[in-house]
Amino acid sequence: MRRLLCLSFAGLLISSPGWAAPCGDTSAGFEDWKSIMAAEAKAEGVGPAGIKALKGASYSKATIGADRNQKSFKYSLAKFMDVRGAKAIAAQGRKRLAKNRAFYDGLRQQYGVDPGVLIAIHGMETGFGNFMGDTNVVSAIATLTWDCRRSDFFRPHLMGALKLVDQGAISPATIGAKHGELGHTQFLPGNALAYGVDGNGDGRVDLASMADAMATTAHYLQQKGWQAGLGFQPGEPNFAVIGQWNAASVYQQAIALIAADIDR
C-alpha cells in the first residue's frame, strides 16, 4: 500500500497527492475538510443519507488517542496472551463450541474455516460480544481519514461507512470501537460492506448479530485465501490468512494458539 506523502501548508492543512481533500494532525481544518470530502464521496456514489452523516460527524479525540497508543501489540507473545486473557478466551470458547456445535460446523462446511479460529477472534475482539465499542462509527472513521498518519488506509472505510448508512445497515448514530470497527468481531466498515453475510436469514446484514458476524468473519477469511482442512499454525498455509485479519505478529500467533486450544 502506498504511503501518503504530505506537504504542510502553514502548519495546518496538508494536501495529499492525487486527492482534492487535505489532511491534518489536529482538529483544526476538520470542518472545512468535511465539505471537500462530501463532494468526493458524492462522486464515488455515496447518497444523501451518507453525505448527511459525514457532514454531521465530529472530530474524535478519543479515536486519535487510541490510534497513538496501541502498546499491547509491542508485547512479547506471552505478555500479550496474558494481558488479553487468552486462557479465559480458550476456556469460554470450548464451552461456546460445545453449545453451538451445529452452527459452527455449518460455517465450516460452507466456508472451510475451523470453528476455533472464528471463536478465538470473537473472544479476542469483543470478549464474545460483551464490549463492542463506545465511539460513533462515522465520526471515528472520518477522523482517521482526516488524520494524516493513515489517511490512505482509512479513506475506503469512510466510503464504506457512508454507503452502509445509505443502505440502512448502520445509522449516523451507530456505535463501534475507537477505530470505527463494527460488531462482534470488529469489522472496519469497508470490509463490512464488501464481505457482509446475512447469517441468521432475516434479510439484512447486522454485525451486532452474532450469527451475521460469525458468518461474515468466515466469509472474509475464505475470500482472503483460507484453505479448508489445512493447518493454521505458524508455517502452515492458513496462518498467513490470519495475517489478513490483523497485521500484528503477536495477535496472529495468539489467535492460532487459542484456536487450537478450542478445537482440541
Side-chain angles (χ1 to χ4, degrees):
M1 183 181 293
R2 69 178 180 84
R3 288 186 176 274
L4 285 179
L5 300 177
C6 297
L7 299 175
S8 177
F9 291 95
L12 177 60
L13 299 183
I14 304 177
S15 296
S16 306
W19 297 355
C23 64
D25 296 323
T26 69
S27 61
F30 179 74
E31 292 301 317
D32 291 335
W33 167 85
K34 288 193 299 183
S35 295
I36 299 170
M37 184 54 68
E40 294 189 12
K42 185 176 180 180
E44 294 186 28
V46 175
I51 298 299
K52 184 178 180 181
L54 173 60
K55 290 185 175 180
S58 301
Y59 183 84
S60 176
K61 292 182 179 179
T63 289
I64 294 299
D67 193 56
R68 302 291 191 267
N69 189 34
Q70 300 184 64
K71 294 180 180 179
S72 67
F73 293 123
K74 299 179 181 179
Y75 292 153
S76 68
L77 176 59
K79 176 69 172 177
F80 181 82
M81 292 187 69
D82 182 56
V83 168
R84 299 295 287 266
K87 289 183 179 179
I89 291 172
Q92 291 184 50
R94 289 192 296 272
K95 293 177 181 178
R96 296 178 75 88
L97 178 56
K99 186 177 180 179
N100 297 285
R101 174 72 68 174
F103 171 71
Y104 288 105
D105 283 349
L107 292 179
R108 175 162 50 189
Q109 182 176 5
Q110 185 169 0
Y111 299 105
V113 181
D114 301 74
V117 174
L118 301 177
I119 296 169
I121 289 172
H122 190 193
M124 183 75 78
E125 293 291 348
T126 64
F128 302 112
N130 287 317
F131 182 72
M132 293 190 280
D134 57 8
T135 304
N136 181 275
V137 167
V138 176
S139 291
I141 292 293
T143 298
L144 291 165
T145 305
W146 157 252
D147 187 64
C148 288
R149 196 167 84 88
R150 290 192 287 169
S151 294
D152 52 346
F153 177 82
F154 283 105
R155 188 180 188 279
H157 295 296
L158 175 60
M159 296 300 119
L162 302 181
K163 290 176 181 179
L164 289 172
V165 171
D166 281 335
Q167 294 176 2
I170 67 173
S171 80
T174 292
I175 298 299
K178 288 290 193 297
H179 286 74
E181 303 99 323
L182 294 160
H184 281 265
T185 55
Q186 303 287 269
F187 266 86
L188 283 166
N191 292 334
L193 181 68
Y195 300 101
V197 171
D198 174 13
N200 60 11
D202 68 355
R204 62 190 297 264
V205 177
D206 177 9
L207 298 183
S209 155
M210 194 273 285
D212 288 10
M214 291 291 96
T216 297
T217 305
H219 180 228
Y220 175 89
L221 294 172
Q222 179 198 55
Q223 293 300 303
K224 293 298 182 179
W226 194 275
Q227 299 178 64
L230 299 185
F232 52 80
Q233 296 303 307
E236 295 180 328
N238 288 324
F239 184 74
V241 185
I242 298 175
Q244 294 291 314
W245 182 268
N246 190 297
S249 176
V250 289
Y251 184 102
Q252 297 161 18
Q253 294 173 75
I255 291 297
L257 291 170
I258 295 168
D261 198 357
I262 292 170
D263 281 336
R264 68 184 185 185

